[in-house]
């Protein structure tokens, strides 16, 4: 999607790249890795058709996928992608957010001693809950008219899409949607009465950063203020519980926060805060991101370039690792380089940009040897060569919202836009020079090159749409 957006901005959009991404996302959201009733993705599939998952759900997967599906929705307007975001965000807030605000870590695969028991059905169970019209559609939709696919029972996997069902049954698409939605609501209500899978209810700072990012991106792109509220509650929990004496802690369970935070905790949280700031301005969030970035520079930096996984005052280890490969979660060094570039351009602070550049140089031999294992660092590398737009809007809320929506409609994953109210107090760094003018003014920069302040909406529209 980044490649497609970049080629599109250059006036030669790679449609094949867009198809590869969208086709994959459609199959994931339609398959058994996705919880078709309650939302959220399981960890992985155990078969080549993506039909049967390992039923465990992880916070980090769903934070990343929520952001990705929101971006895919912004590009395509797909009803499937909207529904996937809505259900996944609802699952997160319903099942994975504590009353205090922090996000829990995972849901188990097992319930009552059996993997997947909570999720599977028999046709007889489903038929007893639905009317004949609903069952006819749902059975064809999810394969209840086919042989069992999981240990003698049926795990819901989309065999016929809603569009195909409209053709199969000669029905209006709206009628199919209404019947499928009603049927799924009935099944979900019945499933809620079952014994739930266990839940790992510790709050990990790093994984919370990933979900804060996901909720911030999805809340902005789908205009869901409740999702942004959810992300802010998680930030407030971290600041109130896991931020002690000017230092960050890694984990909290049953009210006890402990363990020195690692590189991932700091940089994932900065990444989440920057995305949340794009959704809604809070001066405290920017101040927190800056405090975390300062800790990364002073406590984790390797003089040879890059950042260690542990701080300089962590307990002594046999080896002090410097993580650079992506795994199930992105590389801490990759995210560090990206957010330091962005903060550096946002604030006009050369120290952050130099630290990010030094990270790429220090880790270059590893990147060059196995590029496919370093995609987070490659994203940072791309942004170092071709910085995205950094846009600061100053003005009143309603007027700024229209300008922000223009930016969101022109999908550019490298762009960072903050809408700061005209009455905001003292701002840090270069932001102090971004003063209000009239109803709305936009300060548009690429790297260290800035346009004159823009107060004309049509000029702003052209700037965000212009080939680059």
């Amino acid at each position: 999607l980044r490649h497609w957006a970049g080629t599109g901005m250059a006036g030669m959009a790679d449609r094949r790249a867009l198809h590869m991404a969208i086709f994959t996302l459609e199959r994931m959201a339609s398959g058994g890795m996705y919880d078709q009733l309650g939302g959220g993705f399981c960890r992985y599939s155990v078969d080549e058709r993506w039909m049967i998952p390992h039923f465990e759900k992880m916070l980090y997967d769903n934070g990343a996928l929520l952001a990705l599906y929101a971006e895919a929705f912004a590009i395509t307007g797909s009803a499937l992608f909207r529904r996937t975001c809505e259900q996944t965000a609802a699952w997160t807030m319903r099942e994975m957010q504590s009353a205090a605000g922090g996000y829990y870590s995972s849901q188990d695969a097992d319930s009552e001693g059996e993997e997947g028991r909570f999720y599977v059905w028999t046709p007889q169970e489903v038929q007893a809950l639905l009317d004949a019209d609903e069952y006819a559609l749902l059975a064809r939709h999810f394969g209840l008219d086919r042989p069992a696919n999981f240990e003698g029972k049926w795990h819901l996997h989309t065999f016929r899409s809603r569009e195909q069902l409209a053709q199969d049954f000669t029905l209006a698409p709206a009628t199919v949607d209404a019947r499928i939605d009603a049927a799924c609501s009935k099944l979900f209500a019945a499933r809620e009465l079952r014994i739930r899978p266990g839940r790992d209810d510790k709050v990990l700072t790093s994984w919370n950063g990933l979900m804060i990012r996901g909720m911030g991106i999805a809340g902005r792109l789908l205009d869901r203020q409740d999702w942004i509220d959810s992300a802010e509650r998680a930030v407030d929990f971290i600041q109130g519980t896991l931020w002690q004496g000017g230092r960050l802690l890694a984990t909290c369970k049953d009210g006890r926060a402990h363990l020195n935070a690692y590189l991932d905790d700091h940089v994932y949280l900065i990444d989440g805060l920057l995305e949340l700031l794009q959704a809604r301005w809070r001066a405290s969030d920017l101040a927190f991101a800056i405090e975390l970035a300062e800790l990364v520079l002073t406590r984790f930096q390797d003089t040879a370039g890059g950042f260690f996984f542990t701080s300089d005052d962590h307990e002594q280890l046999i080896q002090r690792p410097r993580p650079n490969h992506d795994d199930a979660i992105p590389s801490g060094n990759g995210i560090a380089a990206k957010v330091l570039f962005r903060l550096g351009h946002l604030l006009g602070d050369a120290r952050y940009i130099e630290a990010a550049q030094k990270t790429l140089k220090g880790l270059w031999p590893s990147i060059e040897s196995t590029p496919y294992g370093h995609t987070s660092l490659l994203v940072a590398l791309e942004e170092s060569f071709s910085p995205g737009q950094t846009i600061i809007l100053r003005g009143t809320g309603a007027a700024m919202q229209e300008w922000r929506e223009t930016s969101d409609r022109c999908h550019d994953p490298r762009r960072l836009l903050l809408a700061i109210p005209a009455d905001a107090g003292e701002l840090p760094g270069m932001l102090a020079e971004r003063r209000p003018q009239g109803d709305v003014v936009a300060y548009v920069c690429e790297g260290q090159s800035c346009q004159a302040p823009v107060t004309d909406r049509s000029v702003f529209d052209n700037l965000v749409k212009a080939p680059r």
Side-chain angles (χ1 to χ4, degrees):
L1 289 182
R2 287 182 66 90
H3 170 69
W4 168 79
T7 56
M9 284 293 177
M12 43 188 179
D14 187 339
R15 304 294 300 180
R16 183 168 178 266
L18 179 63
H19 168 74
M20 289 164 64
I22 297 304
F23 180 83
T24 305
L25 292 172
E26 287 173 345
R27 291 302 182 269
M28 287 172 61
S30 300
M33 285 194 295
Y34 182 67
D35 180 353
Q36 300 294 332
L37 298 181
F41 287 85
C42 299
R43 287 187 72 188
Y44 55 83
S45 174
V46 299
D47 68 279
E48 74 280 5
R49 297 191 65 185
W50 297 357
M51 185 185 301
I52 304 302
H54 173 53
F55 287 88
E56 187 177 17
K57 293 180 183 178
M58 310 300 294
L59 185 70
Y60 61 77
D61 288 324
N62 284 283
L65 287 167
L66 178 58
L68 178 55
Y69 274 90
E71 291 179 343
F73 168 75
I75 292 166
T76 64
S78 162
L80 173 62
F81 294 162
R82 173 185 281 278
R83 189 164 57 247
T84 302
C85 290
E86 290 172 343
Q87 291 177 332
T88 299
W91 166 77
T92 301
M93 293 189 290
R94 183 182 67 246
E95 304 283 348
M96 302 301 288
Q97 189 159 29
S98 70
Y103 296 115
Y104 298 132
S105 295
S106 65
Q107 275 186 333
D108 292 347
D110 299 359
S111 58
E112 301 182 73
E114 296 180 21
E115 180 173 350
R117 182 180 179 122
F118 181 75
Y119 298 98
V120 297
W121 299 86
T122 66
Q124 294 75 24
E125 288 175 317
V126 175
Q127 216 162 3
L129 294 167
L130 308 180
D131 66 35
D133 289 338
E134 291 169 345
Y135 182 77
L137 284 174
L138 199 78
R140 183 79 62 86
H141 187 44
F142 287 135
L144 298 173
D145 56 351
R146 297 169 182 247
N149 61 6
F150 183 72
E151 298 178 0
K153 294 191 176 181
W154 280 253
H155 176 56
L156 303 184
H157 170 93
T158 303
F159 288 91
R160 299 289 287 173
S161 69
R162 295 183 181 213
E163 294 75 18
Q164 290 169 327
L165 291 176
Q167 296 175 0
D168 294 346
F169 289 85
T170 320
L171 292 171
T175 301
V176 172
D177 284 340
R179 290 182 185 175
I180 293 291
D181 290 345
C184 286
S185 293
K186 292 176 183 178
L187 264 61
F188 175 75
R191 198 181 76 175
E192 286 290 275
L193 302 176
R194 296 176 178 178
I195 296 174
R196 295 179 181 279
R199 180 173 60 198
D200 181 348
D201 61 0
K202 67 176 176 290
V203 174
L204 296 176
T205 302
S206 60
W207 296 4
N208 270 250
L210 294 172
M211 183 53 79
I212 290 164
R213 174 180 178 271
M215 283 289 197
I217 291 174
R220 172 172 59 88
L221 295 179
L222 278 79
D223 192 21
R224 288 293 299 263
Q225 299 303 308
D226 53 334
W227 301 352
I228 299 169
D229 292 342
S230 171
E232 288 182 346
R233 289 181 58 221
V235 170
D236 293 344
F237 174 84
I238 291 170
Q239 278 197 289
T241 306
L242 289 149
W243 178 248
Q244 298 181 9
R247 297 299 296 275
L248 192 62
L249 299 176
T251 182
C252 178
K253 180 171 168 57
D254 300 328
R256 178 175 176 253
H258 66 124
L259 302 181
N260 294 341
Y262 304 94
L263 176 65
D264 291 1
D265 298 297
H266 291 77
V267 297
Y268 291 178
L269 190 50
I270 296 170
D271 200 16
L273 288 164
L274 288 176
E275 291 297 348
L276 189 54
L277 281 161
Q278 293 202 77
R280 183 187 295 162
W281 168 258
R282 289 202 308 180
S284 60
D285 288 344
L286 180 58
F288 193 20
I290 294 170
E291 286 185 289
L292 293 169
E294 291 297 325
L295 282 172
V296 170
L297 293 187
T298 58
R299 295 290 185 177
F300 291 86
Q301 194 165 190
D302 182 357
T303 55
F307 300 93
F308 293 110
F309 186 60
T310 55
S311 60
D312 58 4
D313 58 350
H314 198 88
E315 65 179 287
Q316 194 69 34
L317 303 176
I318 296 173
Q319 180 193 17
R320 195 179 175 200
R322 191 178 61 166
N324 54 349
H325 283 78
D326 294 318
D327 195 14
I329 53 178
S331 153
N333 269 287
I335 300 301
K338 183 187 78 170
V339 299
L340 289 172
F341 274 129
R342 292 189 168 198
L343 266 178
H345 291 308
L346 180 67
L347 301 173
D349 192 325
R351 295 177 304 131
Y352 294 155
I353 296 172
E354 289 167 4
Q357 291 172 336
K358 196 172 180 181
T359 299
L360 294 172
K361 291 177 181 177
L363 297 174
W364 179 249
S366 185
I367 298 171
E368 191 175 31
S369 66
T370 51
Y372 55 84
H374 296 78
T375 52
S376 296
L377 280 159
L378 289 175
V379 165
L381 180 67
E382 178 193 58
E383 295 199 4
S384 74
F385 287 139
S386 182
Q389 289 177 327
T390 301
I391 301 176
I392 305 301
L393 301 180
R394 298 298 307 273
T396 60
M400 284 197 299
Q401 180 61 23
E402 295 177 1
W403 289 46
R404 175 164 40 197
E405 288 172 358
T406 296
S407 171
D408 288 341
R409 284 193 295 271
C410 303
H411 179 71
D412 183 354
R414 294 175 300 153
R415 182 184 294 131
L416 178 70
L417 183 151
L418 302 189
I420 305 176
D423 60 358
E426 186 175 342
L427 299 174
M430 289 288 292
L431 292 180
E433 300 178 19
R434 310 310 190 204
R435 297 181 179 89
Q437 296 182 30
D439 289 338
V440 183
V441 59
Y443 297 89
V444 183
C445 302
E446 289 188 41
Q448 297 172 332
S449 174
C450 297
Q451 304 278 342
V454 177
T455 55
D456 185 304
R457 172 72 180 276
S458 62
V459 173
F460 177 74
D461 289 359
N462 289 333
L463 280 174
V464 296
K465 296 174 183 175
R468 291 192 296 282

